[in-house]
Amino acid sequence: MSAARLGRCLSIGIALLAPVRVDAADVTLWHAWRGEERAALETLAARWTAAHPDAPLRATFVPYDALAGKIEAAVPRGNGPDLFVYAHEKAGTWAARGLTLPVAPTPGALPVAAAALADGERARGWPLAAKALALYRDRARVPDAPADTDALRTAARRWTRPASGTAPAQWGLAMETTSAYAVAPWLHGFGGGVSDGARLRFRRPENVAALGFVHALAREVVAPELSGAMLVRSFDDGRAAMAISGPWMLGELRARDAGGVDWAVSPLPVVRATGRPAAPWATVETLFLAREGPDARAVGAWLAGEESAAWRARAGRQVVARQGVGYDDPALAAFSAALEHAVPMPVDAVFALHWEPLARALRRLSRGDAGPEAVLAQADTDVAVLARPPPAPVAPAPWLAGTALLAAAGLAYGARGAWRARSEMARAAHAYAWMAPALAGVGLLVVLPFLVGAAVAFFETDGTSWTFVGATHFLDILLARDWGLASPLSLWRTLAVTLLWTAANLVLHVVLGVALALLLREPWVRLRGVFRALLVLPWAIPSYLTAMVWKGLFHREMGAVNAILAAFGVPAVGWFDRFATAFAANLATNAWLGFPFMMVTTLGALQAMPRELEEAAVLDGATGAQRLRHVILPQLAPALLPAIVLGSVWTFNAFNVIYLVSGGEPDGTTDILVSQAYRWAFSRGHRYGYAAAYGMLIFGMLVLYGRGVGRLLGGGVAGGAPPAREDKA
């Protein structure tokens, strides 16, 4: 079997559970629009259906986070929608994979939208709406739009004040200074960008100047560590006089009569040093054609046409990707004007590799680890690793032969065991019949995906092409061929962090859980039932919600932890600026999540433990520490040790906490193995084969750990206290 054919077989296996199209008569459209945009689209769908009852349009909402995955799973198998709406960045990749079909260019489209979707004389889709960053202003403090960057800094300085007493700090500008997307307008405005036309390249004089300007803003007038939600909140609460954001922020601001500020929107100012306007990325909401058909093409052209665009602008409050559309809303008109200088985001897959290295460079700059030129030079090094050529192909024949021999040996071994146990199996045939449905479910939902994932580890693939590379990925990871052993991207450094993470969490989980359980069993503690219920809540609440709450608690400016420290005169701590503090923040979050499990397990074991043993130890003169060591813990061991093993596996793979709290910061040093595997799959060029190899290595480590623990427990460690000797008179 050739490598290409084997790759196609794996693609089919991965897509086995793809959704199935149920009604071929309808023109189906998938989208992720919400609110007014969704209502406007559904109205247009009803209008089309009323005018074309033989080809009704069915618009189906799909959550944004799931939309791309569903498209990539369903469309290759001939299922899924006829049309779908998504941002244009994936247009090149999807067209290369055959997921989308070319269409005729849309007459009257905005130049930036037409350029974003151009593919020779055809277009990759129909442009519906376009989005870019602009400047929000509090009219009471900044009545006029700043003409250039000097005016922007002057206005921002005027309204920046430190916190004093109970009065919170005031900031002149709210901006995500560590976001590659938010910094792009200044890169372009200073004459730079993320590429030099032929390849991704960051270290250029123009980009150095741009980052110097951004760093000056961050030090002087911008609130630190702003996320998108905090940016909205700071401007809406009046703590920031200006904010840089997109049209998605319009629906999140309060009206003036509800306590909101009197705001206005204007395009970003001109860069004084170059005379160029700050040029943000333009993202085009595109209607893609997934399936050929005259009705689908007619619907696409109509939805992108003049009548539909006017309705979406008016009822959906969209900045539509069409010329000549008037806006009654001044904010929409300002965003439309901002698109005149916007740069269409490239659609090639290589461009997507720039996000992580540039964001990492911005975070280094924000922490003060290095200057603009040094962080850009490191970003060039990082992106060179991510963009390196794929491994050389390997002949699959020897591997297939070896796999066949192993499979044959495994089947022979299993058949031999079954033959020896044939009489026992015959007697228990009814039991196997009852187990068959569960075994089939495990096979389909666990074993089959595992085997497919294991096979993917031997391929170099981004989902579009498959190249058999044998054990190359495993050797690259184990030998750290592309970076040093001390690099945050090295398996061995990440493994060390993971082991430290697991051990530290287990100590806290066990100590806190056992201590609280011992306290709550004492009869003198009142309201024990209430405390038990309250202390279980951290375990009952979904972990991702808890992680987001704790991330907010550790925020430098708005977090409760720094507010408490400030009350004792301790200056604010940038918790995610250094490994020790970021690790501590992750550890505190996971300790909060994990101790209830150990507490409940210990409480259950304590209830079955006779108190007479402790009373006898007291009579014999044992101290509290001696009773704990020689009486209580030996009896807890049978229940506690399995819980520790289970907790260690959970903690070893605690992806939610690492990803949501520290995000691996600083510079990926707090990432653990499972979060590294995720990044290789989804944020570093979609190297699914490399990520699968990472996952297989993690699985191998846990198998070895499980075997070791099994031998340890099988040796009698968990057997509890030794039997008491009978005293003979």
Side-chain angles (χ1 to χ4, degrees):
M1 181 182 293
S2 67
R5 182 175 298 177
L6 189 56
R8 287 194 293 270
C9 292
L10 288 173
S11 298
I12 293 173
I14 292 170
L16 278 176
L17 300 180
V20 178
R21 190 179 180 209
V22 296
D23 190 351
D26 295 347
V27 178
T28 57
L29 185 154
W30 288 0
H31 68 93
W33 287 350
R34 298 178 180 270
E36 294 171 321
E37 289 183 314
R38 178 176 180 176
L41 179 61
E42 290 174 348
T43 300
L44 290 173
R47 289 182 183 177
W48 171 271
T49 300
H52 305 82
D54 56 333
L57 174 59
R58 181 158 53 92
T60 302
F61 171 80
V62 179
Y64 178 80
D65 292 341
L67 181 54
K70 286 181 175 292
I71 292 296
E72 293 174 355
V75 172
R77 299 181 60 219
N79 301 313
D82 300 290
L83 303 161
F84 64 91
V85 179
Y86 202 81
H88 81 280
E89 296 100 298
K90 288 181 173 287
T93 301
W94 282 343
R97 294 176 59 180
L99 299 183
T100 61
L101 302 173
V103 302
T106 302
L110 288 177
V112 67
L117 296 172
D119 185 17
E121 296 182 356
R122 308 298 298 275
R124 293 186 171 95
W126 294 281
L128 298 183
K131 299 177 180 179
L133 296 175
L135 182 68
Y136 288 78
R137 298 176 285 109
D138 181 351
R139 289 183 181 180
R141 290 182 282 180
V142 188
D144 300 318
D148 57 28
T149 50
D150 285 356
L152 176 72
R153 290 179 69 174
T154 300
R157 286 170 180 161
R158 180 182 179 188
W159 297 107
T160 300
R161 299 186 181 91
S164 59
T166 58
Q170 297 287 322
W171 302 98
L173 180 64
M175 172 188 168
E176 295 180 77
T177 55
T178 57
S179 164
Y181 181 82
V183 168
W186 311 114
L187 297 180
H188 299 144
F190 276 85
V194 299
S195 70
D196 57 6
R199 59 188 175 90
L200 293 175
R201 189 165 72 89
F202 302 111
R203 188 183 180 186
R204 301 157 60 186
E206 300 85 355
N207 289 344
V208 172
L211 261 60
F213 169 74
V214 170
H215 190 46
L217 289 179
R219 287 186 291 106
E220 297 173 359
V221 298
V222 177
E225 296 185 11
L226 277 184
S227 64
M230 291 179 176
L231 185 150
V232 175
R233 178 182 171 188
S234 63
F235 182 75
D236 196 35
D237 291 346
R239 294 182 63 183
M242 295 177 287
I244 296 177
S245 188
W248 48 85
M249 182 167 149
L250 293 173
E252 301 183 53
L253 297 176
R254 294 175 296 172
R256 275 183 291 171
D257 55 6
V261 299
D262 179 17
W263 51 267
V265 181
S266 56
L268 295 175
V270 171
V271 175
R272 183 67 175 269
T274 63
R276 298 169 177 258
W281 288 122
T283 302
V284 181
E285 294 281 342
T286 305
L287 183 63
F288 292 99
L289 177 65
R291 195 188 322 279
E292 191 61 77
D295 294 329
R297 287 188 178 272
V299 168
W302 180 74
L303 285 176
E306 183 177 358
E307 176 188 354
S308 299
W311 175 256
R312 288 185 286 107
R314 183 170 62 256
R317 299 189 71 210
Q318 279 188 340
V319 181
V320 297
R322 190 172 184 86
Q323 302 181 71
V325 176
Y327 298 93
D328 297 331
D329 188 333
L332 296 181
F335 278 111
S336 180
L339 289 168
E340 295 179 6
H341 303 294
V343 178
M345 198 174 292
V347 298
D348 57 277
V350 174
F351 169 78
L353 297 176
H354 93 279
W355 295 111
E356 184 179 358
L358 182 54
R360 185 175 293 176
L362 293 171
R363 290 192 290 267
R364 290 189 188 115
L365 183 66
S366 175
R367 295 192 298 264
D369 293 347
E373 188 166 2
V375 300
L376 290 174
Q378 183 60 48
D380 280 337
T381 301
D382 293 344
V383 82
V385 172
L386 300 181
R388 69 190 187 280
V394 173
W399 289 86
L400 290 173
T403 303
L405 288 175
L406 287 175
L411 289 173
Y413 182 79
R416 180 187 177 189
W419 177 257
R420 289 182 173 180
R422 61 188 183 279
S423 58
E424 297 179 10
M425 294 175 64
R427 288 195 300 269
H430 63 286
Y432 288 107
W434 283 107
M435 292 172 59
L439 291 175
V442 170
L444 287 174
L445 300 178
V446 178
V447 177
L448 180 60
F450 172 79
L451 293 177
V452 171
V456 170
F458 295 90
F459 286 80
E460 173 68 21
T461 178
D462 60 358
T464 60
S465 60
W466 295 78
T467 303
F468 186 79
V469 296
T472 302
H473 290 323
F474 294 96
L475 295 175
D476 285 347
I477 295 171
L478 292 172
L479 301 178
R481 287 175 169 173
D482 296 307
W483 37 77
L485 292 175
S487 168
L489 296 179
S490 165
L491 169 79
W492 302 107
R493 170 163 178 163
T494 307
L495 176 60
V497 173
T498 306
L499 294 176
L500 174 63
W501 161 254
T502 304
N505 273 284
L506 282 179
V507 170
L508 289 177
H509 291 171
V510 173
V511 170
L512 291 175
V514 172
L516 288 171
L518 291 172
L519 179 65
L520 291 177
R521 75 164 182 162
E522 296 297 332
W524 56 266
V525 177
R526 297 184 178 181
L527 301 176
R528 287 183 295 168
V530 175
F531 286 122
R532 289 176 181 177
L534 291 176
L535 289 172
V536 170
L537 285 179
W539 188 40
I541 296 174
S543 61
Y544 68 90
L545 293 178
T546 303
M548 294 301 294
V549 170
W550 277 86
K551 183 178 178 65
L553 293 176
F554 285 108
H555 190 272
R556 181 170 183 172
E557 293 296 325
M558 304 178 186
V561 175
N562 275 352
I564 294 172
L565 293 177
F568 292 94
V570 179
V573 176
W575 288 94
F576 307 114
D577 291 349
R578 297 291 178 266
F579 172 81
T581 52
F583 188 87
N586 288 338
L587 187 62
T589 304
N590 205 56
W592 173 260
L593 285 168
F595 81 83
F597 174 69
M598 294 297 175
M599 183 191 74
V600 170
T601 302
T602 306
L603 278 172
L606 288 173
Q607 289 178 353
M609 185 185 304
R611 296 294 292 260
E612 290 81 0
L613 295 176
E614 295 179 63
E615 294 171 359
V618 172
L619 292 176
D620 288 340
T623 64
Q626 290 172 331
R627 294 198 306 271
L628 177 65
R629 178 181 177 185
H630 297 291
V631 179
I632 297 176
L633 290 182
Q635 295 183 83
L636 287 179
L640 199 56
L641 285 178
I644 291 174
V645 173
L646 187 58
S648 65
V649 174
W650 287 345
T651 305
F652 195 87
N653 288 324
F655 172 80
N656 282 353
V657 173
I658 300 297
Y659 186 78
L660 295 175
V661 178
S662 73
E665 288 302 305
D667 293 339
T669 54
T670 57
D671 269 324
I672 59 176
L673 291 172
V674 67
S675 61
Q676 285 284 19
Y678 172 87
R679 296 186 194 285
W680 283 111
F682 300 108
S683 62
R684 295 173 183 163
H686 298 287
R687 298 194 60 196
Y688 297 124
Y690 195 93
Y694 227 103
M696 291 304 299
L697 290 172
I698 296 172
F699 174 76
M701 295 173 191
L702 291 177
V703 167
L704 293 175
Y705 171 72
R707 292 296 300 271
V709 169
R711 291 193 175 189
L712 184 66
L713 297 182
V717 174
R725 293 177 298 176
E726 293 183 1
D727 292 329
K728 297 181 180 180

